[in-house]
Amino acid sequence: MALQIKSFEEYEEKYRKSVENPEAFWADIAEYFYWQKKWDKVLEWNFSEPKIEWFKGAKLNITENIFDRQLSKIGDKKAIIWEPNNPGEQEKNYTYRELYEKVCEFANGLRALGIQKGDRVCIYLPMIPELAVAVLACARIGAVHSVVFAGFSATALSDRVNDAQAKLVITADGLNRGAKQIPLKSVVDDALKNCTSVAHVIVYDCLGSAINKTDKDLSWEEVIQGQPKECPAESMDAEDMLFILYTSGSTGKPKGVVHTCGGYMVYTAYSFQNVYQYEPEDVYWCTADIGWITGHSYILYGPLLSGATSVMFEGIPTYPDAGRFWQVIDKYKVNQFLTAPTAIRSLMAYGEDYVKPYDLTSLKVIGTVGEPINSEAWHWYHELIGKGNCPVVDNWWQTETGGIMISGLGNFSPLKPTFAGYPLPGIQPALLNQDGSEITEADIEGYLCIKAPWPSMLRTTYGDHERCRVTYFSHYDGYYFTGDGAKRDKNGMYRIIGRIDDVINVSGHRFGTAEIENAINEDELVIESAVVGYPHPVKGQSIYAFVVCEHEVTETTDARKRILETVTREIGKIALPDKIQFVSGLPKTRSGKIMRRILRKVAEGDTANLGDTSTLLDPAVVDEIVKNAL
Ligand code: WT7
């Protein structure tokens, strides 16, 4: 593969070059792609506005780089292998040419509906091939896709549709999830009651179930009816928006992270090829959902730009049983596999018997992403799945970074369990003290920041540039602030500790405490609430809610049930608290600030060390909370 570094010595040399002369380094990598017009300038930037422009003046279309550039060489190669939820059902294969034709046909359908360059399209689909087609069709015509994970509720969906002012929503009647079927179209119907920007809804018939047809609805079939299988690619500026993806932060409202065409293309292909060391005959599988950034960058764009065969899986790790992942690896002789620590921990708990029946010897590189991996899970993964001879690449990155920032590369980076490792060439991390000075010593924890731009970094938060500046660029002058704490050992390897802001990572999904509190407070029983994360053996973190209600909550009141329903309605089941404790008040400072530190200790069961509570407005409240802790 053209962009691959092949040894640790080469890594070190490239890394040095990337710091000494970033523009030359990235220009060299960008040469690999097809540009309708080359850039005038590789990079212009400042982190104070922030303003970041990569490959300014260049023209391209990312789908021309996936398809047109590669079709004559790999038109007959499988681009996507789709494995259905139900193992008894037939898989589907799409060669690069077949996928290209599907994308073009649908892209033409979108154009016929009046969708133009720059229009926002919200995609709310299950993990079916049509999701890949819809995303790439938007990119083909320069429409900005905003994929919303199909587990989000109607309220969450309508917030995202409204924020982006989407003209179109693409959905399905429902989805398969293990033994269950879950409706989607009815959620869209609910959501759209509050959305005036949407002119059409395209519905793919996934389950063959009945839907309530509205006058905005069109079927997928109707949209592609009679459309040609070729579609001219829209010419995009390198800095034109490619997509928006909403993610949670420490404030209440999720923000639309904006990625642009040129830099995102360059970085996702570059990082994919280096971290996974993909070879032309390999089969690669990432188990993420395309509703999250991992699916965008490492099921679709990175692998497809590299001409890879990418497995797309509709199902879940435990259906029909906990051997499903290993069975699929065996079935397709998967060579590179990427999953999340939460899945590893949950499958580990089912025991080895689910792994043993399957041949996993095809594996060459196995990856983990989304949250810190604990030592036990790391070793289980390394020994039982990788048989001790596959490197575990621990990929640290974020929705905002667009691609993997710190990780081992293939089989030549030094491995250290629970350490993500070294930054990719082109990435300059720094650890900062609270006062903003850089930590140079080893083994000291600091705030993880990045001190120079990289091509796939976020450019703005949609519709609110100031929010982007304040969230990421105002904590420390001249640095991008990640929100994570990390340590660096004496050899320069990084270990990610976790979030240091009010963000909770549940099974690799990100929620702001304020976002969940806002949801809980929607219930009219509730006066106020405070949410914290606490360690959970499978999910990484779990949600603990302290809730103050209007009246005394007794066994017979359905307050608990109501709160769970409210969170399900406002965000989705994925954000449900595992523990809800009703309290008469929250511990607050005299200035009214909730002392989360104390609540975190209670949630962790560490009540012996609550620290100084004398500055509290009402110290008695703490005794009550401790006494009734769950
Ligand atoms: C946050 C980003 C980008 C992948 C999917 C999650 C945590 C991510 C790791 C890792 C430790 C990790 C961080 C980060 N995180 N990868 N390998 N080791 N922590 O994307 O939803 O944007 O969340 O996930 O806390 O800030 P996301």
Side-chain angles (χ1 to χ4, degrees), residues 247 293-294 368-373 394-400 482 484 496 498-499 505 508 510:
T247 190
I293 191 70
T294 309
T368 152
V369 64
E371 32 167 343
I373 183 163
D394 182 348
N395 307 160
W396 175 81
W397 58 297
Q398 311 177 296
T399 303
E400 294 86 343
T482 66
D484 280 325
I496 311 302
R499 302 292 302 201
N505 189 329
R510 219 166 123 175

PDB file of all heavy atoms in Angstrom, residues 247 293-294 368-373 394-400 482 484 496 498-499 505 508 510, ligand 1:
ATOM      1  N   THR A 247     -21.878  15.027  18.552  1.00  0.00           N
ATOM      2  CA  THR A 247     -21.262  14.333  19.677  1.00  0.00           C
ATOM      3  C   THR A 247     -21.486  15.132  20.947  1.00  0.00           C
ATOM      4  O   THR A 247     -21.736  16.335  20.898  1.00  0.00           O
ATOM      5  CB  THR A 247     -19.758  14.076  19.427  1.00  0.00           C
ATOM      6  OG1 THR A 247     -19.268  13.195  20.442  1.00  0.00           O
ATOM      7  CG2 THR A 247     -18.951  15.356  19.460  1.00  0.00           C
ATOM      8  N   ILE A 293     -18.270   7.901  14.763  1.00  0.00           N
ATOM      9  CA  ILE A 293     -17.143   8.296  13.903  1.00  0.00           C
ATOM     10  C   ILE A 293     -16.313   7.094  13.466  1.00  0.00           C
ATOM     11  O   ILE A 293     -15.793   7.066  12.349  1.00  0.00           O
ATOM     12  CB  ILE A 293     -16.258   9.373  14.608  1.00  0.00           C
ATOM     13  CG1 ILE A 293     -15.245   9.988  13.639  1.00  0.00           C
ATOM     14  CG2 ILE A 293     -15.530   8.785  15.804  1.00  0.00           C
ATOM     15  CD1 ILE A 293     -15.793  10.863  12.569  1.00  0.00           C
ATOM     16  N   THR A 294     -16.182   6.079  14.329  1.00  0.00           N
ATOM     17  CA  THR A 294     -15.359   4.927  13.945  1.00  0.00           C
ATOM     18  C   THR A 294     -15.877   4.287  12.660  1.00  0.00           C
ATOM     19  O   THR A 294     -15.104   3.894  11.791  1.00  0.00           O
ATOM     20  CB  THR A 294     -15.303   3.895  15.088  1.00  0.00           C
ATOM     21  OG1 THR A 294     -14.930   4.580  16.282  1.00  0.00           O
ATOM     22  CG2 THR A 294     -14.298   2.798  14.807  1.00  0.00           C
ATOM     23  N   THR A 368      -8.364  -2.147  19.178  1.00  0.00           N
ATOM     24  CA  THR A 368      -9.349  -1.766  20.180  1.00  0.00           C
ATOM     25  C   THR A 368      -9.491  -0.250  20.146  1.00  0.00           C
ATOM     26  O   THR A 368      -8.528   0.467  19.904  1.00  0.00           O
ATOM     27  CB  THR A 368      -8.980  -2.302  21.584  1.00  0.00           C
ATOM     28  OG1 THR A 368      -9.523  -1.425  22.574  1.00  0.00           O
ATOM     29  CG2 THR A 368      -7.487  -2.369  21.784  1.00  0.00           C
ATOM     30  N   VAL A 369     -10.713   0.223  20.380  1.00  0.00           N
ATOM     31  CA  VAL A 369     -10.974   1.656  20.225  1.00  0.00           C
ATOM     32  C   VAL A 369     -12.162   2.100  21.070  1.00  0.00           C
ATOM     33  O   VAL A 369     -13.073   1.321  21.315  1.00  0.00           O
ATOM     34  CB  VAL A 369     -11.271   1.995  18.745  1.00  0.00           C
ATOM     35  CG1 VAL A 369     -12.549   1.328  18.248  1.00  0.00           C
ATOM     36  CG2 VAL A 369     -11.359   3.505  18.506  1.00  0.00           C
ATOM     37  N   GLY A 370     -12.111   3.339  21.515  1.00  0.00           N
ATOM     38  CA  GLY A 370     -13.297   3.953  22.096  1.00  0.00           C
ATOM     39  C   GLY A 370     -13.219   4.253  23.569  1.00  0.00           C
ATOM     40  O   GLY A 370     -13.929   5.117  24.066  1.00  0.00           O
ATOM     41  N   GLU A 371     -12.401   3.524  24.306  1.00  0.00           N
ATOM     42  CA  GLU A 371     -12.290   3.723  25.752  1.00  0.00           C
ATOM     43  C   GLU A 371     -11.007   3.043  26.201  1.00  0.00           C
ATOM     44  O   GLU A 371     -10.461   2.207  25.475  1.00  0.00           O
ATOM     45  CB  GLU A 371     -13.497   3.132  26.485  1.00  0.00           C
ATOM     46  CG  GLU A 371     -14.005   1.941  25.778  1.00  0.00           C
ATOM     47  CD  GLU A 371     -14.983   1.066  26.518  1.00  0.00           C
ATOM     48  OE1 GLU A 371     -15.090   1.164  27.748  1.00  0.00           O
ATOM     49  OE2 GLU A 371     -15.600   0.254  25.853  1.00  0.00           O
ATOM     50  N   PRO A 372     -10.569   3.375  27.389  1.00  0.00           N
ATOM     51  CA  PRO A 372      -9.352   2.713  27.887  1.00  0.00           C
ATOM     52  C   PRO A 372      -9.608   1.215  28.023  1.00  0.00           C
ATOM     53  O   PRO A 372     -10.686   0.798  28.430  1.00  0.00           O
ATOM     54  CB  PRO A 372      -9.149   3.351  29.262  1.00  0.00           C
ATOM     55  CG  PRO A 372      -9.888   4.653  29.222  1.00  0.00           C
ATOM     56  CD  PRO A 372     -11.059   4.406  28.322  1.00  0.00           C
ATOM     57  N   ILE A 373      -8.627   0.402  27.686  1.00  0.00           N
ATOM     58  CA  ILE A 373      -8.772  -1.044  27.847  1.00  0.00           C
ATOM     59  C   ILE A 373      -7.991  -1.463  29.098  1.00  0.00           C
ATOM     60  O   ILE A 373      -6.844  -1.072  29.280  1.00  0.00           O
ATOM     61  CB  ILE A 373      -8.338  -1.821  26.585  1.00  0.00           C
ATOM     62  CG1 ILE A 373      -8.588  -3.324  26.776  1.00  0.00           C
ATOM     63  CG2 ILE A 373      -6.897  -1.548  26.175  1.00  0.00           C
ATOM     64  CD1 ILE A 373      -8.596  -4.128  25.477  1.00  0.00           C
ATOM     65  N   ASP A 394      -4.047  -0.283  19.942  1.00  0.00           N
ATOM     66  CA  ASP A 394      -5.005   0.459  20.758  1.00  0.00           C
ATOM     67  C   ASP A 394      -5.122   1.847  20.133  1.00  0.00           C
ATOM     68  O   ASP A 394      -4.194   2.643  20.193  1.00  0.00           O
ATOM     69  CB  ASP A 394      -4.475   0.500  22.195  1.00  0.00           C
ATOM     70  CG  ASP A 394      -5.417   1.204  23.149  1.00  0.00           C
ATOM     71  OD1 ASP A 394      -6.370   1.855  22.695  1.00  0.00           O
ATOM     72  OD2 ASP A 394      -5.177   1.118  24.374  1.00  0.00           O
ATOM     73  N   ASN A 395      -6.256   2.120  19.500  1.00  0.00           N
ATOM     74  CA  ASN A 395      -6.437   3.352  18.719  1.00  0.00           C
ATOM     75  C   ASN A 395      -7.052   4.451  19.569  1.00  0.00           C
ATOM     76  O   ASN A 395      -8.243   4.412  19.847  1.00  0.00           O
ATOM     77  CB  ASN A 395      -7.386   3.139  17.530  1.00  0.00           C
ATOM     78  CG  ASN A 395      -7.029   1.991  16.614  1.00  0.00           C
ATOM     79  OD1 ASN A 395      -7.887   1.493  15.869  1.00  0.00           O
ATOM     80  ND2 ASN A 395      -5.790   1.537  16.641  1.00  0.00           N
ATOM     81  N   TRP A 396      -6.248   5.436  19.940  1.00  0.00           N
ATOM     82  CA  TRP A 396      -6.848   6.591  20.632  1.00  0.00           C
ATOM     83  C   TRP A 396      -7.143   7.706  19.628  1.00  0.00           C
ATOM     84  O   TRP A 396      -6.267   8.108  18.851  1.00  0.00           O
ATOM     85  CB  TRP A 396      -5.935   7.154  21.728  1.00  0.00           C
ATOM     86  CG  TRP A 396      -6.576   8.397  22.281  1.00  0.00           C
ATOM     87  CD1 TRP A 396      -7.569   8.441  23.216  1.00  0.00           C
ATOM     88  CD2 TRP A 396      -6.353   9.750  21.866  1.00  0.00           C
ATOM     89  NE1 TRP A 396      -7.978   9.744  23.422  1.00  0.00           N
ATOM     90  CE2 TRP A 396      -7.247  10.566  22.600  1.00  0.00           C
ATOM     91  CE3 TRP A 396      -5.495  10.349  20.943  1.00  0.00           C
ATOM     92  CZ2 TRP A 396      -7.294  11.949  22.448  1.00  0.00           C
ATOM     93  CZ3 TRP A 396      -5.550  11.734  20.780  1.00  0.00           C
ATOM     94  CH2 TRP A 396      -6.440  12.525  21.538  1.00  0.00           C
ATOM     95  N   TRP A 397      -8.379   8.160  19.669  1.00  0.00           N
ATOM     96  CA  TRP A 397      -8.777   9.324  18.871  1.00  0.00           C
ATOM     97  C   TRP A 397     -10.158   9.754  19.295  1.00  0.00           C
ATOM     98  O   TRP A 397     -10.682   9.269  20.295  1.00  0.00           O
ATOM     99  CB  TRP A 397      -8.678   9.046  17.364  1.00  0.00           C
ATOM    100  CG  TRP A 397      -9.495   7.884  16.845  1.00  0.00           C
ATOM    101  CD1 TRP A 397      -9.350   6.576  17.193  1.00  0.00           C
ATOM    102  CD2 TRP A 397     -10.554   7.933  15.881  1.00  0.00           C
ATOM    103  NE1 TRP A 397     -10.261   5.810  16.493  1.00  0.00           N
ATOM    104  CE2 TRP A 397     -11.003   6.610  15.689  1.00  0.00           C
ATOM    105  CE3 TRP A 397     -11.145   8.962  15.148  1.00  0.00           C
ATOM    106  CZ2 TRP A 397     -12.047   6.291  14.802  1.00  0.00           C
ATOM    107  CZ3 TRP A 397     -12.168   8.646  14.261  1.00  0.00           C
ATOM    108  CH2 TRP A 397     -12.609   7.326  14.095  1.00  0.00           C
ATOM    109  N   GLN A 398     -10.774  10.663  18.563  1.00  0.00           N
ATOM    110  CA  GLN A 398     -12.066  11.238  18.938  1.00  0.00           C
ATOM    111  C   GLN A 398     -12.850  11.611  17.689  1.00  0.00           C
ATOM    112  O   GLN A 398     -12.261  11.789  16.620  1.00  0.00           O
ATOM    113  CB  GLN A 398     -11.851  12.537  19.735  1.00  0.00           C
ATOM    114  CG  GLN A 398     -10.869  12.437  20.868  1.00  0.00           C
ATOM    115  CD  GLN A 398     -10.672  13.771  21.550  1.00  0.00           C
ATOM    116  OE1 GLN A 398     -10.190  14.722  20.952  1.00  0.00           O
ATOM    117  NE2 GLN A 398     -11.051  13.849  22.823  1.00  0.00           N
ATOM    118  N   THR A 399     -14.147  11.809  17.882  1.00  0.00           N
ATOM    119  CA  THR A 399     -14.983  12.310  16.785  1.00  0.00           C
ATOM    120  C   THR A 399     -14.335  13.554  16.171  1.00  0.00           C
ATOM    121  O   THR A 399     -14.281  13.714  14.954  1.00  0.00           O
ATOM    122  CB  THR A 399     -16.378  12.684  17.333  1.00  0.00           C
ATOM    123  OG1 THR A 399     -16.935  11.532  17.965  1.00  0.00           O
ATOM    124  CG2 THR A 399     -17.294  13.163  16.226  1.00  0.00           C
ATOM    125  N   GLU A 400     -13.810  14.395  17.040  1.00  0.00           N
ATOM    126  CA  GLU A 400     -13.250  15.671  16.601  1.00  0.00           C
ATOM    127  C   GLU A 400     -11.941  15.502  15.831  1.00  0.00           C
ATOM    128  O   GLU A 400     -11.576  16.371  15.037  1.00  0.00           O
ATOM    129  CB  GLU A 400     -12.969  16.566  17.817  1.00  0.00           C
ATOM    130  CG  GLU A 400     -14.202  17.015  18.578  1.00  0.00           C
ATOM    131  CD  GLU A 400     -14.669  16.007  19.631  1.00  0.00           C
ATOM    132  OE1 GLU A 400     -14.248  14.834  19.578  1.00  0.00           O
ATOM    133  OE2 GLU A 400     -15.457  16.403  20.497  1.00  0.00           O
ATOM    134  N   THR A 482      -8.133  18.041  24.303  1.00  0.00           N
ATOM    135  CA  THR A 482      -8.895  16.823  23.982  1.00  0.00           C
ATOM    136  C   THR A 482      -9.966  16.480  25.016  1.00  0.00           C
ATOM    137  O   THR A 482     -10.888  15.734  24.715  1.00  0.00           O
ATOM    138  CB  THR A 482      -7.956  15.599  23.919  1.00  0.00           C
ATOM    139  OG1 THR A 482      -7.436  15.348  25.234  1.00  0.00           O
ATOM    140  CG2 THR A 482      -6.803  15.818  22.943  1.00  0.00           C
ATOM    141  N   ASP A 484      -9.173  14.669  27.544  1.00  0.00           N
ATOM    142  CA  ASP A 484      -8.675  13.435  28.155  1.00  0.00           C
ATOM    143  C   ASP A 484      -7.458  13.709  29.030  1.00  0.00           C
ATOM    144  O   ASP A 484      -6.674  14.608  28.754  1.00  0.00           O
ATOM    145  CB  ASP A 484      -8.243  12.432  27.072  1.00  0.00           C
ATOM    146  CG  ASP A 484      -9.423  11.692  26.481  1.00  0.00           C
ATOM    147  OD1 ASP A 484     -10.372  11.408  27.222  1.00  0.00           O
ATOM    148  OD2 ASP A 484      -9.395  11.398  25.268  1.00  0.00           O
ATOM    149  N   ILE A 496      -3.813   6.426  27.910  1.00  0.00           N
ATOM    150  CA  ILE A 496      -4.963   7.312  28.083  1.00  0.00           C
ATOM    151  C   ILE A 496      -5.664   6.931  29.382  1.00  0.00           C
ATOM    152  O   ILE A 496      -5.993   5.758  29.592  1.00  0.00           O
ATOM    153  CB  ILE A 496      -5.949   7.184  26.905  1.00  0.00           C
ATOM    154  CG1 ILE A 496      -5.225   7.281  25.548  1.00  0.00           C
ATOM    155  CG2 ILE A 496      -7.073   8.213  27.023  1.00  0.00           C
ATOM    156  CD1 ILE A 496      -4.451   8.540  25.301  1.00  0.00           C
ATOM    157  N   GLY A 498      -8.534   8.689  30.679  1.00  0.00           N
ATOM    158  CA  GLY A 498      -9.983   8.867  30.547  1.00  0.00           C
ATOM    159  C   GLY A 498     -10.319  10.345  30.577  1.00  0.00           C
ATOM    160  O   GLY A 498      -9.440  11.198  30.684  1.00  0.00           O
ATOM    161  N   ARG A 499     -11.619  10.629  30.490  1.00  0.00           N
ATOM    162  CA  ARG A 499     -12.056  12.017  30.410  1.00  0.00           C
ATOM    163  C   ARG A 499     -11.807  12.754  31.716  1.00  0.00           C
ATOM    164  O   ARG A 499     -12.003  12.206  32.794  1.00  0.00           O
ATOM    165  CB  ARG A 499     -13.558  12.083  30.101  1.00  0.00           C
ATOM    166  CG  ARG A 499     -13.991  11.395  28.826  1.00  0.00           C
ATOM    167  CD  ARG A 499     -13.503  12.038  27.575  1.00  0.00           C
ATOM    168  NE  ARG A 499     -13.905  13.417  27.417  1.00  0.00           N
ATOM    169  CZ  ARG A 499     -13.925  14.037  26.230  1.00  0.00           C
ATOM    170  NH1 ARG A 499     -13.596  13.392  25.111  1.00  0.00           N
ATOM    171  NH2 ARG A 499     -14.280  15.290  26.160  1.00  0.00           N
ATOM    172  N   ASN A 505     -18.251   7.966  29.424  1.00  0.00           N
ATOM    173  CA  ASN A 505     -18.084   7.060  28.297  1.00  0.00           C
ATOM    174  C   ASN A 505     -18.697   5.706  28.676  1.00  0.00           C
ATOM    175  O   ASN A 505     -18.102   4.927  29.409  1.00  0.00           O
ATOM    176  CB  ASN A 505     -16.590   6.935  28.002  1.00  0.00           C
ATOM    177  CG  ASN A 505     -16.323   6.190  26.718  1.00  0.00           C
ATOM    178  OD1 ASN A 505     -17.074   5.304  26.331  1.00  0.00           O
ATOM    179  ND2 ASN A 505     -15.251   6.540  26.035  1.00  0.00           N
ATOM    180  N   GLY A 508     -18.223   2.864  25.310  1.00  0.00           N
ATOM    181  CA  GLY A 508     -17.655   3.565  24.163  1.00  0.00           C
ATOM    182  C   GLY A 508     -18.564   4.641  23.591  1.00  0.00           C
ATOM    183  O   GLY A 508     -18.222   5.271  22.599  1.00  0.00           O
ATOM    184  N   ARG A 510     -20.458   8.301  24.083  1.00  0.00           N
ATOM    185  CA  ARG A 510     -20.145   9.497  24.833  1.00  0.00           C
ATOM    186  C   ARG A 510     -21.392  10.272  25.215  1.00  0.00           C
ATOM    187  O   ARG A 510     -22.220  10.551  24.359  1.00  0.00           O
ATOM    188  CB  ARG A 510     -19.354  10.360  23.856  1.00  0.00           C
ATOM    189  CG  ARG A 510     -18.244  11.078  24.433  1.00  0.00           C
ATOM    190  CD  ARG A 510     -17.428  11.542  23.260  1.00  0.00           C
ATOM    191  NE  ARG A 510     -17.312  12.969  23.333  1.00  0.00           N
ATOM    192  CZ  ARG A 510     -16.574  13.666  22.488  1.00  0.00           C
ATOM    193  NH1 ARG A 510     -15.957  13.081  21.476  1.00  0.00           N
ATOM    194  NH2 ARG A 510     -16.489  14.950  22.626  1.00  0.00           N
TER     195      ARG A 510
HETATM  196  C1  WT7 B   1     -13.272   9.668  23.579  1.00  0.00           C
HETATM  197  C2  WT7 B   1     -13.743  10.000  22.211  1.00  0.00           C
HETATM  198  C3  WT7 B   1     -12.825   7.675  18.295  1.00  0.00           C
HETATM  199  C4  WT7 B   1     -13.285   6.393  18.636  1.00  0.00           C
HETATM  200  C5  WT7 B   1     -14.658   6.277  19.184  1.00  0.00           C
HETATM  201  C6  WT7 B   1     -15.006   7.183  20.319  1.00  0.00           C
HETATM  202  C7  WT7 B   1     -12.145   7.865  24.543  1.00  0.00           C
HETATM  203  C8  WT7 B   1     -11.318   6.758  22.445  1.00  0.00           C
HETATM  204  C9  WT7 B   1      -9.723   5.522  23.226  1.00  0.00           C
HETATM  205  C10 WT7 B   1      -8.649   4.629  23.500  1.00  0.00           C
HETATM  206  C11 WT7 B   1      -8.780   5.287  25.740  1.00  0.00           C
HETATM  207  C12 WT7 B   1     -10.274   6.247  24.292  1.00  0.00           C
HETATM  208  C13 WT7 B   1     -11.465   9.157  24.939  1.00  0.00           C
HETATM  209  C14 WT7 B   1     -11.861  10.106  23.847  1.00  0.00           C
HETATM  210  N1  WT7 B   1     -11.274   7.004  23.771  1.00  0.00           N
HETATM  211  N2  WT7 B   1     -10.399   5.862  22.107  1.00  0.00           N
HETATM  212  N3  WT7 B   1      -8.086   3.888  22.556  1.00  0.00           N
HETATM  213  N4  WT7 B   1      -8.215   4.550  24.782  1.00  0.00           N
HETATM  214  N5  WT7 B   1      -9.806   6.131  25.542  1.00  0.00           N
HETATM  215  O1  WT7 B   1     -15.129   8.477  19.843  1.00  0.00           O
HETATM  216  O2  WT7 B   1     -17.228   9.247  20.955  1.00  0.00           O
HETATM  217  O3  WT7 B   1     -15.577  10.878  20.002  1.00  0.00           O
HETATM  218  O4  WT7 B   1     -15.074   9.591  22.087  1.00  0.00           O
HETATM  219  O5  WT7 B   1     -13.265   8.257  23.746  1.00  0.00           O
HETATM  220  O6  WT7 B   1     -11.953   9.581  26.169  1.00  0.00           O
HETATM  221  O7  WT7 B   1     -11.808  11.454  24.222  1.00  0.00           O
HETATM  222  P1  WT7 B   1     -15.815   9.597  20.682  1.00  0.00           P
END
